Amino acid sequence: MRKLPAAAALAALALAGSALAHHSFAMFDPSRTITVSGTVKEFQYTNPHSWLIVVAPGPDGKAAEWAFESEGPSTLLRNGVKRSMFAPGDKVTVQAWPMRDGRPAGALLSATRANGQLVHFRQGPPPPGVATGG
Amino acid sequence: MRSLGGGLRVGAAVMTLLIAAPVLAQGPPAEAAAAHLTRDRYAQGWKADRAYRTAWDEYQAMKASARGGAKMTWARLPDWTGLWTHENGFAVDPDQQGRTPTAELTPEYQKRFDEKMARVARGDEWDPLSACLPAGHPRWLVEPFLREFILRPEEAWLVTEQNAEIRRVYTDGRGHVPEDEAYPLWEGDSIGFWDGDTLVIHTNHLKAGSYQRQQPDHSDQVETVERWRRVGPDRIEALVAIYDPVALRKPWRVRHTYGRVTTPNLRINHWSCEENNNVVQTPEGSSNFILPGEKGYKDPDKPGPSPSAPAAQP
């Protein structure tokens, strides 16, 4: 696991406005970006949010199911993210804003597929009012 | 991992550019849109104070200036076909600077807002949408997801993909539901008329609620007057006057735009928030997830028992 602030800082487009439609952002810590490498268990391509479930070492080093949240299908399609991109068993490296409480989950920023393709799930800064310092 | 990280940075830059192209192709640059609106006398005057006591008075004044509104025909209906999405973030007034809304709130509602933002600052933020309730109007105006605007001479449907919320606007000359039959509704009761190619709408009988998680609340006395029109090939504009004698000291005049979405094969589909929602309210009043494997987690493939399923055997 490794911090990767550049991945978040690079992006600047307005699709951030389509994020977080139906819940608060309070559980995420956008001041940190984590990288998690593992195997896709399931890509829940669903509304109101999609989730990429990845089996990878957890915070304690033991195998865990990580749950990374992203947007609903129509927003993902506008961003070029298709359901077929992440199949069960695929190797994947995920960048995400972690949970504040340390559980194995986060806000999905991008994911590198087994073929090396970097797929962006989310652009732009955190929504207003979200602390990003420290 | 270091070399991977460097590769990711470069890759991210390339992907950003790739994504930027189709997004920017969806509408003219913001500067061009702003220039267009600056030329528009109506938009220039929109934020000016006007001497209307109620939303209904303002609506009636608009209707009088439009000589009652033109009877719309299929031949004269403007073309608002296609998919659209809100362009201006989550603030009720997209011109808001920082975190302070431009509304002039009554003392009670200012206090409510200050308390809400104090909770947000503590990380205690809850959204009724997390319980899968509709956004409802006026919040409907600022929600993301896809939109469709379906026009008929006698009725307009303003559709958002989110929770399949449809605002029906009757333009056949009928009035509002009689007061003794009315009750608060998520989208209220909307009637309208056409002033040329502009759809003018009056909405009342709304529920009390919040404009957004980090925006003020409104009472069930809130009413709106809206002027909707297409301002370019790829943009539809809504000028909205919000009246709320309980929460607002003066009408809140805001402008929203909706940009055309051109992603191939994209359609509005029906969905239910319940099909994959594991957001819960914490005892502190904040928001958190139940994660896969935790007690109470609802699998999206099995969101709940089928109503026709046999009862589980003990």
Side-chain angles (χ1 to χ4, degrees):
Chain A
M1 198 182 302
R2 170 179 187 281
K3 289 188 178 182
L4 192 68
L10 264 174
L13 288 173
L15 282 174
S18 49
L20 311 168
H22 109 294
H23 66 76
S24 165
F25 204 69
M27 66 287 280
F28 298 125
D29 178 4
S31 71
R32 296 193 296 133
T33 299
I34 59 171
T35 300
V36 175
S37 293
T39 304
V40 173
K41 179 182 179 188
E42 184 183 15
F43 188 16
Q44 299 173 355
Y45 205 71
T46 56
N47 284 299
H49 289 274
S50 295
W51 290 80
L52 185 63
I53 312 297
V54 176
V55 177
D60 59 0
K62 298 177 184 172
E65 275 189 25
W66 287 78
F68 298 105
E69 189 196 46
S70 188
E71 302 310 315
S74 70
T75 304
L76 291 187
L77 281 169
R78 290 176 60 205
N79 214 1
V81 182
K82 300 181 181 180
R83 182 170 180 253
S84 57
M85 287 178 164
F86 299 93
D90 285 357
K91 297 295 181 192
V92 67
T93 297
V94 169
Q95 291 80 44
W97 287 325
M99 298 286 284
R100 293 186 190 277
D101 63 15
R103 288 183 296 164
L108 183 48
L109 301 173
S110 61
T112 305
R113 302 173 65 196
N115 66 5
Q117 181 189 7
L118 176 62
V119 179
H120 272 273
F121 284 77
R122 186 174 192 281
Q123 281 80 45
V130 174
T132 54
Chain B
M1 285 300 284
R2 184 162 296 282
S3 61
L4 174 62
L8 287 174
R9 288 191 186 93
V10 175
V14 172
M15 279 301 294
T16 301
L17 292 173
L18 290 174
I19 292 166
V23 169
L24 293 175
Q26 289 171 8
E31 294 80 2
H36 175 90
L37 285 160
T38 303
R39 289 195 300 273
D40 185 271
R41 292 168 59 194
Y42 195 91
Q44 281 182 336
W46 180 247
K47 295 219 170 190
D49 285 338
R50 286 159 193 250
Y52 301 113
R53 191 175 57 83
T54 65
W56 184 246
D57 288 350
E58 178 164 345
Y59 177 76
Q60 292 291 13
M62 286 185 180
K63 197 165 184 178
S65 73
R67 295 176 182 164
K71 181 172 174 56
M72 183 49 75
T73 64
W74 283 105
R76 294 217 323 271
L77 274 175
D79 179 5
W80 295 3
T81 55
L83 291 177
W84 309 80
T85 197
H86 184 243
E87 297 182 306
N88 313 104
F90 289 104
V92 175
D93 184 351
D95 291 342
Q96 172 181 322
Q97 301 295 317
R99 300 173 69 187
T100 304
T102 55
E104 295 191 26
L105 300 170
T106 59
E108 178 193 348
Y109 276 73
Q110 183 65 53
K111 183 167 178 283
R112 287 170 65 142
F113 178 67
D114 292 343
E115 290 169 352
K116 176 193 279 191
M117 294 306 283
R119 290 194 299 273
V120 169
R122 293 196 301 269
D124 295 338
E125 187 181 49
W126 172 252
D127 192 327
L129 266 63
S130 302
C132 291
L133 292 169
H137 184 65
R139 179 173 174 169
W140 182 97
L141 293 164
V142 304
E143 289 300 303
F145 292 106
L146 300 174
R147 314 267 181 157
E148 274 183 308
F149 307 114
I150 300 169
L151 306 180
R152 296 172 56 95
E154 79 285 4
E155 189 172 339
W157 281 31
L158 312 181
V159 178
T160 175
E161 176 192 10
Q162 177 171 275
N163 263 2
E165 287 187 61
I166 299 171
R167 299 178 58 203
R168 291 174 173 80
V169 182
Y170 298 103
T171 54
D172 56 358
R174 75 181 72 182
H176 280 296
V177 171
E179 284 294 329
D180 63 349
E181 296 180 22
Y183 57 97
L185 297 163
W186 289 109
E187 318 303 339
D189 184 45
S190 295
I191 58 173
F193 64 88
W194 286 94
D195 180 2
D197 61 359
T198 298
L199 176 60
V200 183
I201 307 168
H202 177 257
T203 302
N204 62 9
H205 302 319
L206 288 157
K207 286 177 178 285
S210 174
Y211 291 106
Q212 250 292 344
R213 290 191 295 273
Q214 297 179 23
Q215 293 281 298
D217 294 342
H218 59 78
S219 79
D220 64 0
Q221 300 301 300
V222 68
E223 297 186 9
T224 62
V225 181
E226 299 159 83
R227 291 182 65 96
W228 286 75
R229 61 178 187 151
R230 189 167 152 187
V231 292
D234 299 315
R235 185 163 283 118
I236 287 174
E237 172 196 77
L239 301 175
V240 186
I242 305 171
Y243 286 74
D244 186 341
V246 179
L248 296 173
R249 289 193 284 121
K250 58 182 279 194
W252 198 1
R253 295 181 179 277
V254 299
R255 171 182 168 266
H256 291 276
T257 59
Y258 303 84
R260 184 184 295 282
V261 176
T262 57
T263 307
N265 306 320
L266 201 57
R267 300 174 188 185
I268 287 192
N269 294 307
H270 182 94
W271 53 262
S272 163
C273 168
E274 287 282 1
E275 68 195 66
N276 195 3
N277 180 41
N278 284 286
V279 182
V280 293
Q281 190 168 27
T282 67
E284 298 78 28
S286 190
S287 310
N288 213 334
F289 298 124
I290 300 174
L291 295 173
E294 295 181 345
K295 184 181 179 185
Y297 178 77
K298 289 183 288 186
D299 191 318
D301 294 329
K302 304 183 228 18
S306 164
S308 59
Q313 297 300 313

